[in-house]
Amino acid sequence: EPEVTQTPSHQVTQMGQEVILRCVPISNHLYFYWYRQILGQKVEFLVSFYNNEISEKSEIFDDQFSVERPDGSNFTLKIRSTKLEDSAMYFCASRSRDRNNEQFFGPGTRLTVL
Amino acid sequence: QKEVEQDPGPLSVPEGAIVSLNCTYSNSAFQYFMWYRQYSRKGPELLMYTYSSGNKEDGRFTAQVDKSSKYISLFIRDSQPSDSATYLCAMTLNSGNTPLVFGKGTRLSVIA
């Protein structure tokens, strides 16, 4: 069964460093999302992406964050200058055009900022 | 984002029990409702997806939506130890490209 994949599974970085989290959505999906989950807290929406542009973003998704679909398969989240509070699980999700709101999640990348 | 309330538990039941998990929400504009299962340090896995008020059944799982009360439920029949996980409710405003709003999740343990 097709699934969303994410790399790396765990990323450790120093505060102030840039990180890029990578996702490969399900191949026929057109809508892409990033969510994050701080330990012990709710899964929170960051950004949605369709047709090579951002559809919607939350207030969490400030100028330090950016997303890109550099090729036909990858979808990336970049954090330019990481802060301690960026430590969280980051989940990528995707959905197809005809399955409204049925978002399928990847296994997540655990980001630890030291 | 609009608030979704979910009792975090933990909830511990014996194997074979019927489990009831619930969420309430405040925004009547929510139209689509989902239940996700999340194992420890894994991504949420979509279990059920409903739109209208009423019940939807899939195997041992039944999702129930009561829009008038702004209340959704997930029932698990004949619970198994493999059902032990955190169950997240999620909802969204409409059928467009709108984000999911999650509850905090209820941690369930099914004891053999």
Side-chain angles (χ1 to χ4, degrees), chain A residues 23-76:
Chain A
C23 169
V24 179
I26 294 172
S27 63
N28 63 342
H29 286 189
L30 300 176
Y31 298 85
F32 314 115
Y33 309 83
W34 283 101
Y35 292 81
R36 80 172 186 190
Q37 186 177 31
I38 295 171
L39 188 63
Q41 298 190 23
K42 294 183 179 184
V43 175
E44 302 173 287
F45 167 74
L46 292 178
V47 65
S48 58
F49 192 87
Y50 170 71
N51 199 26
N52 282 319
E53 60 183 27
I54 290 174
S55 305
E56 187 170 344
K57 59 184 180 180
S58 72
E59 58 190 27
I60 301 169
F61 193 88
D62 62 20
D63 291 345
Q64 293 299 314
F65 291 87
S66 62
V67 289
E68 192 178 34
R69 187 152 164 83
D71 53 43
S73 59
N74 290 284
F75 179 51
T76 62

Side-chain angles (χ1 to χ4, degrees), chain B residues 17-33:
Chain B
I18 296 175
V19 176
S20 172
L21 305 166
N22 311 294
C23 285
T24 59
Y25 60 96
S26 55
N27 186 355
S28 58
F30 283 131
Q31 297 292 325
Y32 295 83
F33 306 91

Side-chain angles (χ1 to χ4, degrees), chain A residues 31 33 35 37 40-43 45 48 50 55-56 89 91 95 100-107 110, chain B residues 1 3-5 32 34 36 38 41-44 46 49 88 92 94-100 102-104:
Chain A
Y31 298 85
Y33 309 83
Y35 292 81
Q37 186 177 31
Q41 298 190 23
K42 294 183 179 184
V43 175
F45 167 74
S48 58
Y50 170 71
S55 305
E56 187 170 344
M89 282 289 286
F91 295 109
R95 74 167 178 92
N100 287 334
N101 299 308
E102 290 191 60
Q103 297 180 24
F104 294 88
F105 283 72
R110 177 167 298 281
Chain B
Q1 289 190 347
E3 192 166 45
V4 176
E5 296 292 331
Y32 295 83
M34 301 102 204
Y36 284 83
Q38 186 178 26
R41 298 187 177 237
K42 302 292 185 185
L46 182 62
Y49 168 77
L88 310 172
T92 187
N94 58 45
S95 62
N97 195 21
T98 52
L100 299 178
F102 282 85
K104 197 170 182 179

Side-chain angles (χ1 to χ4, degrees), chain B:
Chain B
Q1 289 190 347
K2 312 303 179 184
E3 192 166 45
V4 176
E5 296 292 331
Q6 183 176 10
D7 186 341
L11 179 63
S12 184
V13 301
E15 183 176 357
I18 296 175
V19 176
S20 172
L21 305 166
N22 311 294
C23 285
T24 59
Y25 60 96
S26 55
N27 186 355
S28 58
F30 283 131
Q31 297 292 325
Y32 295 83
F33 306 91
M34 301 102 204
W35 286 95
Y36 284 83
R37 177 174 61 197
Q38 186 178 26
Y39 293 111
S40 181
R41 298 187 177 237
K42 302 292 185 185
E45 172 194 359
L46 182 62
L47 278 179
M48 301 284 287
Y49 168 77
T50 57
Y51 167 68
S52 56
S53 283
N55 293 351
K56 180 178 179 180
E57 191 172 317
D58 184 1
R60 296 185 297 110
F61 298 91
T62 299
Q64 188 175 79
V65 173
D66 182 347
K67 289 186 178 180
S68 62
S69 301
K70 301 191 191 71
Y71 188 89
I72 68 171
S73 300
L74 178 70
F75 298 97
I76 307 174
R77 288 184 299 281
D78 187 26
S79 55
Q80 303 295 308
S82 58
D83 294 328
S84 298
T86 296
Y87 289 81
L88 310 172
C89 64
M91 48 200 75
T92 187
L93 294 176
N94 58 45
S95 62
N97 195 21
T98 52
L100 299 178
V101 179
F102 282 85
K104 197 170 182 179
T106 300
R107 197 171 73 185
L108 171 68
S109 294
V110 181
I111 311 300

